[in-house]
């Protein structure tokens, strides 16, 4: 199962990136020439910086200055910024802002700006002692721009050559004022590329169908089959709540927008089907959080009793305290299992089989705390079960776990200790090289940046999936048996009998008074003859029913006797 999971990871990562549509950079129509006239030392030169001034400010003659500004491409970064040393520009233009205070008749508004794109390389140079390798500027391209910057504050945009595959160094200067010079790194964001299909509705429909809709249907179909199957095995998903996932997705989007936008744009541009897997993933999360299979909660209760006497004076037990714990169970296809909330517990439950519940075979009595007709929304559980007093815990629950361990050691039977395993190390190295190599190949082939970092990250994920072991757990409880059902029913009946009295003592006092009153009435009837009873009754306002409950009145009884 672990190797199947790792293989699926490789397929899901490599396939969309390899089958993604490559996008060709469109020419921006700049005046471009190739030149070897600039030396590496000359191109490395940067303009002079001044204290208490923006880092990209350069003097532009005696009465002027110019600064280079740029606008970040990430959605999370708004507004322009001054160019600073070490900055990588991802847009295809920068802004040249000038402040020119010389008299108007001394200012030439037309300025020529030269932009040179280059990379550092090496070349072999012949010397008297043979050939040596020296650093040099390679892939040099020169672009000339003519801009207009008038007196006062003015702004002009300078186009940069598009570099989507590799980073280039840019050296830029104003021809009329060579001290106004800047150098920075440039790597175009892929979202600036032209569309890879004709700008027609037909081209749009064809591209969307082949690169998104088909993949969305396929990925969603897999999710629609896999998620219910996992729910039948685990009872329910991580149960973290949709709000939790909304926060996670929101924070992830913010991080992408603020720090990984360029890489993400490259990934989605080179491999549009990745978006389909993201959509299917969100659908899968919603299904996992909203679907359940046979999940119910059981309240385990145990009473601590002491010997006492009942109202009749017989030996009995009274509850002096108790314990209460709610356990969530899932009636899966393999039987009832104890489940926990969380992402790792759910993964462990999925791959290990979960924690079977033992003890139900001894269960004789359980109470349903809710029925289809009566919903007890305030109840913490669906069922109530009494637990035996003897065990130390209400339930002995050892949950399923995930453990990660690389097979770098093995047991030495001679010494009885662990020793280094060359076989295990070779196995780890093999899987790391294969998974990382495939990821590196996919990123390189698709033109996505960060191939080394991505390969290392993917190799780590693959190794974790391969060498993580899911271990099953167990849950055991001892239900109360014997006379528990009769005792509970009797207690409930006695409770109904004394309902309406504040205490059991008050109920007993009332019973004693009623019995004494009945005994006095019987003694009086025995002493009095029937005639005196009739006269007594006829002279009172008491209704016949108040003499003896359930019997005829004395008057009626006397009349019947005369007949």
């Amino acid at each position: 199962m672990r190797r199947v999971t790792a293989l699926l990871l490789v397929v899901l990562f490599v396939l969309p990136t390899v089958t993604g549509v490559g996008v060709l950079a469109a020419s921006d129509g700049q005046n471009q020439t190739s030149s070897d006239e600039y030396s590496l030392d000359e191109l490395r030169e940067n303009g002079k910086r001044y204290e208490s001034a923006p880092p990209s400010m350069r003097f532009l003659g005696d009465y002027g200055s110019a600064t280079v500004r740029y606008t970040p491409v990430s959605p999370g970064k708004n507004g322009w910024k001054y160019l600073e040393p070490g900055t990588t520009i991802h847009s295809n233009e920068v802004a040249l802002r000038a402040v020119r205070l010389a008299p108007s008749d001394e200012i030439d508004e037309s300025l020529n700006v030269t932009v040179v794109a280059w990379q550092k390389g090496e070349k072999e140079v012949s010397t008297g002692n043979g050939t040596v390798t020296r650093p040099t500027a390679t892939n040099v391209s020169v672009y000339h721009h003519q801009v207009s910057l008038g007196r006062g504050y003015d702004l002009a945009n300078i186009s940069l050559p598009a570099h989507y595959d590799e980073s280039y160094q840019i050296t830029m200067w104003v021809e009329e004022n060579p001290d106004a010079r800047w150098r920075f790194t440039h790597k175009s964001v892929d979202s600036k590329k032209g569309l890879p299909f004709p700008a027609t509705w037909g081209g749009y429909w064809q591209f969307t169908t082949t690169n998104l809709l088909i993949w969305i249907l396929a990925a969603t179909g897999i999710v629609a089959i896999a998620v219910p199957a996992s729910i039948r095995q685990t009872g329910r998903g991580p149960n973290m709540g949709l709000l939790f996932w909304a926060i996670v997705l929101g924070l992830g989007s913010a991080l992408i927008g603020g720090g990984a936008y360029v890489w993400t744009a490259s990934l989605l541009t080179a491999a549009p089907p990745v978006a389909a897997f993201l959509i299917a993933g969100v659908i899968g999360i919603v299904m996992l959080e909203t679907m359940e299979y046979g999940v119910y909660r059981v309240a385990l209760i145990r009473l601590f009793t002491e010997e006492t006497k009942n109202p009749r004076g017989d030996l009995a037990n009274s509850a002096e305290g108790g314990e209460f714990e709610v356990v969530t169970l899932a009636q899966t296809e393999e039987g009832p299992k104890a489940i926990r909330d969380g992402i790792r517990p759910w993964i462990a439950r999925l791959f290990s089989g979960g924690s079977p519940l033992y003890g139900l075979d001894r269960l004789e009595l359980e109470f349903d705390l809710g029925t289809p007709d009566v919903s007890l929304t305030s109840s913490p559980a669906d069922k109530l079960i009494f637990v035996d007093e003897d065990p130390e815990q209400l339930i002995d629950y050892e949950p399923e776990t995930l453990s990660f361990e690389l097979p770098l050691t093995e047991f030495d039977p001679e010494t009885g200790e662990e020793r280094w395993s060359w076989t295990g190390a070779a196995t780890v190295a093999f899987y790391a090289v294969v998974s990382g190599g495939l990821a590196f190949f996919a990123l390189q082939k698709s033109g996505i940046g960060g191939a080394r970092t991505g390969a290392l990250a993917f190799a780590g994920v693959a190794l974790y999936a391969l060498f993580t072991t899911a271990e099953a757990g167990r849950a055991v409880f001892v239900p109360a048996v014997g006379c528990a059902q009769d005792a509970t029913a009797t207690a409930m009946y006695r409770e109904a009998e004394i309902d309406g009295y504040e205490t059991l003592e008050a109920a007993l006092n009332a019973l004693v008074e009623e019995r004494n009153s009945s005994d006095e009435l019987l003694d009086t009837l025995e002493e009095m003859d029937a005639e005196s009873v009739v006269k007594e009754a006829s002279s009172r306002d008491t209704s016949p029913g108040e003499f003896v409950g359930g019997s005829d009145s004395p008057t009626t009884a006397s009349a019947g006797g005369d007949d």
Side-chain angles (χ1 to χ4, degrees):
M1 178 64 72
R2 290 178 297 160
R3 285 163 175 76
V4 172
T5 304
L7 181 60
L8 288 175
L9 285 173
V10 174
V11 172
L12 292 178
F13 182 83
V14 174
L15 187 60
T17 55
V18 172
T19 58
V21 177
V23 182
L24 297 178
S27 174
D28 60 359
Q30 299 180 86
N31 183 13
Q32 175 186 356
T33 60
S34 298
S35 175
D36 295 330
E37 61 181 292
Y38 301 106
S39 66
L40 179 61
D41 293 336
E42 184 179 3
L43 294 176
R44 279 176 169 175
E45 291 182 5
N46 203 344
K48 183 179 179 180
R49 296 180 56 184
Y50 300 91
E51 295 183 2
S52 302
S56 63
M57 194 276 288
R58 305 289 187 268
F59 280 119
L60 196 64
D62 295 333
Y63 300 98
S65 65
T67 56
V68 173
R69 306 190 306 193
Y70 71 99
T71 301
V73 297
S74 300
K77 299 179 180 179
N78 299 321
W80 57 267
K81 296 180 179 297
Y82 285 113
L83 178 65
E84 297 185 3
T87 301
T88 298
I89 303 298
H90 295 290
S91 61
N92 288 337
E93 69 175 14
V94 293
L96 186 63
R97 185 176 184 270
V99 180
R100 309 185 75 181
L101 303 178
S104 299
D105 57 352
E106 297 180 7
I107 293 179
D108 184 1
E109 295 186 359
S110 179
L111 297 177
N112 296 294
V113 179
T114 300
V115 176
V116 180
W118 56 278
Q119 291 179 309
K120 181 182 177 181
E122 294 180 343
K123 68 178 181 178
E124 293 185 352
V125 180
S126 299
T127 64
N129 298 325
T131 58
V132 295
T133 301
R134 292 180 180 176
T136 186
T138 60
N139 301 324
V140 179
S141 298
V142 183
Y143 302 83
H144 300 283
H145 303 272
Q146 190 174 56
V147 298
S148 178
L149 294 171
R151 188 177 187 278
Y153 295 90
D154 207 348
L155 185 73
N157 291 325
I158 308 298
S159 298
L160 302 177
H163 300 121
Y164 295 106
D165 297 330
E166 296 179 288
S167 296
Y168 274 72
Q169 293 295 310
I170 298 292
T171 302
M172 182 176 74
W173 65 87
V174 179
E175 292 287 349
E176 290 77 6
N177 300 94
D179 291 337
R181 190 182 191 91
W182 301 267
R183 183 170 67 86
F184 53 90
T185 305
H186 181 239
K187 172 70 167 63
S188 303
V189 63
D190 281 16
S191 58
K192 299 294 183 179
K193 287 183 177 180
L195 295 175
F197 54 84
T200 61
W201 281 107
Y204 170 76
W205 291 333
Q206 180 181 2
F207 178 84
T208 304
T209 301
T210 57
N211 290 274
L212 285 177
L213 293 181
I214 293 177
W215 289 89
I216 290 175
L217 292 176
T220 304
I222 295 173
V223 168
I225 296 174
V227 170
S230 68
I231 293 298
R232 286 192 296 270
Q233 181 178 347
T234 61
R236 67 183 179 196
N239 198 36
M240 303 298 294
L242 294 178
L243 178 60
F244 168 82
W245 291 108
I247 293 174
V248 170
L249 293 176
L251 291 177
S253 300
L255 291 175
I256 290 174
Y261 174 78
V262 174
W263 188 87
T264 304
S266 300
L267 175 64
L268 295 179
T269 303
V274 172
F277 288 93
L278 295 177
I279 295 172
V282 173
I283 295 174
I285 289 174
V286 174
M287 294 178 64
L288 282 174
E289 291 293 335
T290 56
M291 296 179 64
E292 288 186 351
Y293 183 83
V295 176
Y296 60 99
R297 297 167 300 170
V298 174
L300 303 177
I301 185 172
R302 173 168 60 187
L303 301 177
F304 300 118
T305 60
E306 292 184 358
E307 291 187 357
T308 184
K309 290 185 178 181
N310 62 16
R312 297 182 178 181
D314 300 330
L315 185 64
N317 290 329
S318 65
E320 300 297 332
E323 286 182 305
F324 181 85
E325 182 177 349
V326 177
V327 180
T328 303
L329 302 178
Q331 187 65 37
T332 65
E333 297 176 346
E334 301 174 357
K337 297 178 182 179
I339 62 176
R340 297 180 298 156
D341 295 337
I343 300 175
R344 285 178 60 86
W346 174 74
I347 296 175
R349 192 162 66 246
L350 177 64
F351 289 100
S352 70
S355 301
L357 180 66
Y358 300 99
L360 289 177
D361 54 335
R362 301 180 70 246
L363 183 63
E364 296 182 359
L365 174 67
E366 64 179 9
F367 294 97
D368 288 327
L369 301 181
T371 65
D373 299 327
V374 180
S375 177
L376 302 179
T377 57
S378 60
S379 175
D382 303 304
K383 293 180 179 293
L384 176 66
I385 296 177
F386 286 92
V387 179
D388 194 88
E389 292 187 33
D390 292 335
E392 296 182 358
Q393 300 176 338
L394 288 174
I395 183 170
D396 183 12
Y397 182 22
E398 297 179 1
E400 59 281 349
T401 58
L402 289 176
S403 59
F404 171 72
E405 184 178 3
L406 295 175
L408 300 179
T409 59
E410 61 184 1
F411 179 75
D412 188 353
E414 297 181 358
T415 61
E417 298 179 353
E418 295 290 328
R419 67 181 181 185
W420 176 263
S421 174
W422 290 104
T423 303
T427 302
V428 172
F430 172 78
Y431 286 121
V433 170
V434 170
S435 58
L438 288 175
F440 184 84
F441 166 76
L443 292 173
Q444 282 288 90
K445 185 179 184 303
S446 58
I448 303 173
R452 293 186 181 89
T453 303
L456 290 175
F458 187 76
V461 173
L463 290 179
Y464 183 82
L466 282 167
F467 297 103
T468 295
T469 303
E471 299 180 359
R474 60 190 293 272
V476 181
F477 81 105
V478 181
V481 295
C483 299
Q485 182 172 355
D486 296 338
T488 305
T490 302
M492 294 175 64
Y493 175 74
R494 294 301 182 190
E495 183 67 21
E497 280 190 337
I498 64 174
D499 186 26
Y501 294 94
E502 294 181 358
T503 63
L504 179 60
E505 182 178 359
L508 294 176
N509 291 336
L511 291 174
V512 172
E513 291 177 1
E514 182 180 355
R515 181 175 180 180
N516 293 337
S517 176
S518 300
D519 292 341
E520 292 177 359
L521 179 59
L522 292 176
D523 293 342
T524 302
L525 291 176
E526 289 179 357
E527 295 175 357
M528 299 174 62
D529 55 13
E531 184 178 354
S532 61
V533 171
V534 172
K535 292 179 179 180
E536 176 92 13
S538 62
S539 64
R540 294 173 56 186
D541 293 334
T542 306
S543 62
E546 289 187 11
F547 276 84
V548 180
S551 64
D552 294 331
S553 67
T555 304
T556 305
S558 175
D562 292 339
D563 291 338

